[in-house]
C-alpha cells in the first residue's frame, strides 16, 4: 500500500477522455455534486437501511457528522491482520508503484502514437459516448498490495465497513484518494511496528544473545531501539484512535507533526549510530563464532520470513525517510489553502528536519574518521594546509593523468606525455598530490574550491580524449595555475568537472528552475553509492536528469529531497510521457512551496543578527 498516493499522482497526470481532470477534482474535493442525490448512512449498516436523504450534506464536514464511527475492535483486528513484515510491505508497494508508472507511460504513449493526426471525429465520439457509460464512483484503481494468505484487506474503500456505510456515494474521487493515502500511512506504520517488535523480541531480548554480547557491544549493535519501539507504539495507538473516531479519516498529519516535533528525536540517536553499528556487526561476525551461529539460527526462524538480521537493524532509518514520502503523498491530495494542507506542510517540514538531522548524524561520524585517515597519509611539499575541520568533508578523490605539455615537438618517444597525479576534493578545498611509496601522498599544490574553473576541450583526437582543463585562479603560491587533465572515461571526466565546478551549467535544467518539463527517470533497481559524488537510489525514486554520458552514467536530482549525484543509467527507466513528467514536477513544487520563503526568512534573520552584533 505504500505506493497508492504516488500511483494516484501519476494517474492524475494521465489526460485521456475517460478521466476527470485533476483540477476539477481538486476544486470539488470534499463537496457533493449539487445535482445528484447521495446516500447518507444513518444508524444502520447498509445503504438499504439508510435511504437517500432529501437534504444531503453539502460539505465533507457535514457528511462526517452523519457517519458513525467504527468500533475500536474492528480497527484493532484490522491492524492485527497485517501479515506482512515492513520489509515485505515496502518492497511490494514500491515494485507496484514502478509497474503502475510503466503501465501509464505505455498506455499514454500508445494513445498518442495510435491517434489519427488531423482527425477530431473519433475523439468527439468518445466524449459523446462517455455519459452513456455506467457512472464511475471510484477513481482509484483496484490494486491489491497486501494480497497474501495472511492479509485480508487491500484498500480503504474495500473495507467491509466502508462498503456498507454508503460513504463512497458521498465522497468525491479526490477525497477517496486522500483517504487511501492517510490509510496507507497508518497500515504501513502497523507493519513497521510488527517488524520492530520482532527485532526486539526475537533478537535483542534473546537470552543467548545477552550472554554472548558484552553490554557495550549490545549497546552499539542495538542502540536505543527500545525507545524507538516505544515511540512507534504510542504513535500507532494515536493513529488508531483517530481512525476509530470515524470511518472517514479526518486527518493524520497533525499527529505526525506532534510526534515529529516532540518524539522522533529517538530516530536521530539511532540512525547516527549507524556507522559504529555496521562496524561492530561485521567485527562480531568475524571474531565471535557463537554470535555468528546464533544469528544464522535466528534468521532461519519462520517468523523472519527469510529476511536477514541486517534488514531489521536498518528499519528505523528506512521508516523515517519513508514516512516523509507518505506525508508528501497526502500533501498532494489535500485541498489547496485548506487547514489540512497547513497541517501536512507543518508535518512535512518537521519530518524533513528529522531526516536531515539523521543524515548529518551518520555523515558526521564517518567524515571525522575519514578526515583523520587522509591527514595521516599526506606529506606537504608546499606550505602545510590543515585538513581536519568540523566543517570539511570529502567530495571526491582519485587518480588523473596530467599532461606534461601539449607541444607538437614532444612525442611519446622522447618524453611521457602524461604523468599520474592524485586529487583530493573537499567541499571547500582542492589538494593536488602525487602518490609515493607507503600509501602516502605528496602534496604539491592546493586551492580553494571557490577559485576553481573547468573547461572541456573541443575537437579532441584520440590522444586528447576525455581531457579537460582545470584552472586554479589562486593556488598555494598565490598565483594562477593551469592543469590539463585526462580521465579514464567520459563519465569520469564529467564527474570530475561537475564536482570541481558545482555551479557549472549542466545539459538539462534542475528542479529549482521551476520549468515544468525535464528528462526524468524512475529507479527500478536499488543502488548504493560507491563514491562520495554518487547518489544512493531507492526503488521508485523519481529523478530529473541533469547530465548524461555515453558510457552509461547519469547526473540526477531527486525530486523529493533535491539531493544530487551520479548513478548508473542501468538502475533506472526513463519516464517518456511529458504529462507525467510535468505532473511530477508540479507536485514537487507544491510540496516544497513553503521552503523558499522559509529560506529567505532565515537569511533575513542571519543578516539582522550580524547587524546587531556589529
Amino acid at each position: 500500500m505504500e505506493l497508492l498516493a504516488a500511483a494516484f499522482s501519476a494517474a492524475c497526470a494521465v489526460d485521456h477522455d475517460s478521466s476527470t481532470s485533476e483540477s476539477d477534482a481538486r476544486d470539488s474535493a470534499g463537496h457533493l455534486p449539487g445535482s445528484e442525490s447521495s446516500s447518507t448512512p444513518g444508524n444502520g449498516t447498509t445503504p438499504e437501511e439508510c435511504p437517500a436523504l432529501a437534504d444531503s450534506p453539502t460539505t465533507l464536514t457535514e457528511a462526517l457528522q452523519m457517519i458513525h464511527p467504527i468500533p475500536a475492535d474492528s480497527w484493532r483486528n484490522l491492524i492485527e491482520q497485517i501479515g506482512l513484515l515492513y520489509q515485505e510491505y515496502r518492497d511490494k508497494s514500491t515494485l507496484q508503484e514502478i509497474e503502475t508508472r510503466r503501465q501509464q507511460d505505455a498506455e499514454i504513449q500508445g494513445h498518442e502514437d495510435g491517434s489519427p493526426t488531423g482527425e477530431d471525429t473519433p475523439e468527439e465520439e468518445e466524449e459523446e459516448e462517455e455519459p452513456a457509460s455506467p457512472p464511475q464512483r471510484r477513481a482509484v484503481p483496484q490494486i491489491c498490495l497486501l494480497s497474501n494468505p495472511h492479509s485480508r484487506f487491500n484498500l480503504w474503500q474495500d473495507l467491509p465497513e466502508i462498503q456498507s456505510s454508503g460513504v463512497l456515494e458521498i465522497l468525491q474521487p479526490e477525497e477517496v484518494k486522500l483517504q487511501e493515502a492517510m490509510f496507507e500511512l497508518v497500515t504501513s506504520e502497523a507493519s513497521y511496528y510488527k517488524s520492530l517488535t520482532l527485532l526486539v523480541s526475537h533478537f535483542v531480548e534473546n537470552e543467548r544473545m545477552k550472554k554472548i554480547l558484552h553490554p557495550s557491544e549490545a549497546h552499539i549493535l542495538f542502540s536505543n531501539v527500545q525507545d524507538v519501539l516505544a515511540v512507534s507504539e504510542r504513535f500507532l495507538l494515536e493513529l488508531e484512535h483517530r481512525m476509530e473516531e470515524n470511518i472517514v479519516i479526518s486527518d493524520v498529519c497533525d499527529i505526525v507533526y506532534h510526534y515529529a516535533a516532540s518524539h522522533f528525536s529517538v530516530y536521530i540517536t539511532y540512525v547516527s549510530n549507524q556507522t559504529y553499528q555496521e562496524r561492530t556487526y561485521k567485527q562480531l561476525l568475524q571474531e565471535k563464532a557463537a554470535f555468528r551461529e546464533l544469528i544464522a539460527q535466528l534468521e532461519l526462524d519462520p517468523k523472519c520470513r527469510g529476511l536477514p538480521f541486517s534488514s531489521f537493524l536498518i528499519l528505523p532509518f528506512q521508516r523515517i525517510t519513508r514516512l516523509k514520502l507518505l506525508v508528501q503523498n497526502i500533501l498532494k491530495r489535500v485541498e489547496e489553502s485548506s487547514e489540512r494542507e497547513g497541517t501536512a506542510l507543518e508535518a512535512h517540514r518537521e519530518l524533513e528536519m528529522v531526516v536531515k538531522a539523521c543524515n548529518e548524524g551518520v555523515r558526521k561520524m564517518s567524515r571525522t574518521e575519514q578526515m583523520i585517515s587522509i591527514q595521516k597519509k599526506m606529506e606537504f611539499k608546499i606550505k602545510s594546509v590543515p585538513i581536519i575541520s568540523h566543517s570539511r568533508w570529502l567530495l571526491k578523490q582519485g587518480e588523473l593523468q596530467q599532461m606534461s605539455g601539449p607541444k607538437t615537438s614532444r612525442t611519446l618517444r622522447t618524453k611521457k606525455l602524461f604523468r599520474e597525479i592524485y586529487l583530493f576534493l573537499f567541499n571547500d578545498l582542492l589538494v593536488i598530490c602525487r602518490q609515493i611509496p607507503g600509501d602516502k601522498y605528496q602534496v604539491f599544490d592546493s586551492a580553494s574550491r571557490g577559485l576553481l574553473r573547468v573547461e572541456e576541450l573541443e575537437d579532441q583526437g584520440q590522444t586528447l580524449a576525455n581531457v579537460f582543463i582545470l584552472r586554479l585562479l589562486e593556488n598555494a603560491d598565490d598565483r594562477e595555475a593551469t592543469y590539463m587533465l585526462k580521465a579514464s572515461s567520459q563519465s569520469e571526466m564529467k564527474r570530475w568537472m561537475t564536482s570541481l565546478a558545482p555551479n557549472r551549467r549542466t545539459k538539462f535544467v534542475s528542479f529549482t528552475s521551476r520549468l515544468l518539463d525535464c528528462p526524468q527517470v524512475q529507479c527500478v533497481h536499488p543502488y548504493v553509492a560507491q563514491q562520495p559524488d554518487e547518489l544512493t537510489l531507492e526503488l521508485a525514486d523519481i529523478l530529473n536528469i541533469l547530465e548524461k554520458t555515453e558510457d552509461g552514467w547519469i547526473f540526477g536530482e531527486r525530486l523529493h529531497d533535491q539531493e544530487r549525484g551520479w548513478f548508473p543509467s542501468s538502475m533506472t527507466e526513463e519516464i517518456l510521457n511529458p504529462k507525467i513528467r510535468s505532473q511530477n514536477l508540479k507536485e514537487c513544487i507544491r510540496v516544497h512551496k513553503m521552503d523558499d520563503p522559509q529560506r529567505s526568512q532565515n537569511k533575513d534573520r542571519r543578516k539582522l543578527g550580524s547587524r546587531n552584533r556589529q
Side-chain angles (χ1 to χ4, degrees), residues 224-397:
N224 65 326
V225 69
Q226 302 268 18
D227 297 334
V228 176
L229 177 63
V231 168
S232 176
E233 183 175 13
R234 296 196 302 270
F235 181 48
L236 179 60
L237 189 61
E238 286 206 33
L239 291 172
E240 287 182 17
H241 287 334
R242 177 62 54 84
M243 295 180 73
E244 289 164 6
E245 292 174 1
N246 206 302
I247 58 176
V248 179
I249 310 167
S250 58
D251 197 3
V252 294
C253 288
D254 56 332
I255 299 174
V256 175
Y257 168 75
H258 170 68
Y259 272 81
S262 304
H263 302 289
F264 282 174
S265 58
V266 295
Y267 281 95
I268 302 173
T269 303
Y270 185 91
V271 175
S272 298
N273 182 54
Q274 185 179 12
T275 302
Y276 297 122
Q277 183 187 65
E278 292 175 353
R279 183 186 306 162
T280 300
Y281 180 48
K282 291 178 181 177
Q283 188 175 353
L284 288 170
L285 288 175
Q286 293 174 355
E287 299 178 1
K288 288 194 174 185
F291 175 80
R292 185 168 61 249
E293 293 170 3
L294 177 59
I295 290 296
Q297 180 183 341
L298 294 175
E299 286 177 339
L300 291 175
D301 193 295
K303 297 176 184 176
C304 294
R305 310 280 179 82
L307 295 167
F309 172 58
S310 57
S311 73
F312 289 90
L313 286 179
I314 63 172
L315 282 169
F317 182 75
Q318 289 181 332
R319 182 55 184 172
I320 196 64
T321 53
R322 189 65 183 179
L323 194 58
K324 188 187 81 167
L325 298 181
L326 291 171
V327 171
Q328 283 187 7
N329 290 336
I330 293 173
L331 184 52
K332 296 169 187 176
R333 296 278 160 251
V334 294
E335 310 87 347
E336 293 196 47
S337 303
S338 65
E339 183 179 349
R340 288 195 293 188
E341 184 189 50
T343 57
L345 284 169
E346 290 293 330
H348 181 262
R349 192 178 300 116
E350 287 296 330
L351 284 171
E352 240 183 2
M353 291 172 63
V354 174
V355 171
K356 286 180 180 178
C358 288
N359 289 331
E360 281 303 311
V362 174
R363 291 167 183 163
K364 187 177 180 180
M365 296 290 186
S366 58
R367 284 172 179 171
T368 301
E369 294 184 351
Q370 186 180 45
M371 298 300 287
I372 293 173
S373 175
I374 293 173
Q375 173 81 63
K376 290 179 179 178
K377 294 179 179 180
M378 286 187 175
E379 294 181 0
F380 284 84
K381 189 177 179 180
I382 57 173
K383 183 180 178 180
S384 179
V385 178
I387 298 298
I388 300 174
S389 170
H390 291 298
S391 59
R392 179 173 295 155
W393 61 87
L394 184 70
L395 294 179
K396 189 172 178 61
Q397 70 178 81

Side-chain angles (χ1 to χ4, degrees), residues 33 61 179 190 201 224 228 258 272 332 361 472 483 492 502 531:
T61 304
Q179 291 295 312
S201 63
N224 65 326
V228 176
H258 170 68
S272 298
K332 296 169 187 176
L472 282 57
Y483 294 88
E492 189 64 14
Q531 298 292 333

Side-chain angles (χ1 to χ4, degrees), residues 400-432:
L400 290 170
Q401 303 279 324
Q402 180 191 1
M403 192 170 187
S404 300
K407 304 293 184 182
T408 56
S409 60
R410 291 182 178 176
T411 66
L412 294 175
R413 294 180 184 177
T414 58
K415 188 171 182 178
K416 187 176 180 181
L417 186 61
F418 295 102
R419 61 185 303 184
E420 292 81 9
I421 64 172
Y422 202 94
L423 271 58
F424 288 93
L425 178 64
F426 303 98
N427 61 307
D428 62 346
L429 177 70
L430 172 67
V431 177
I432 306 177

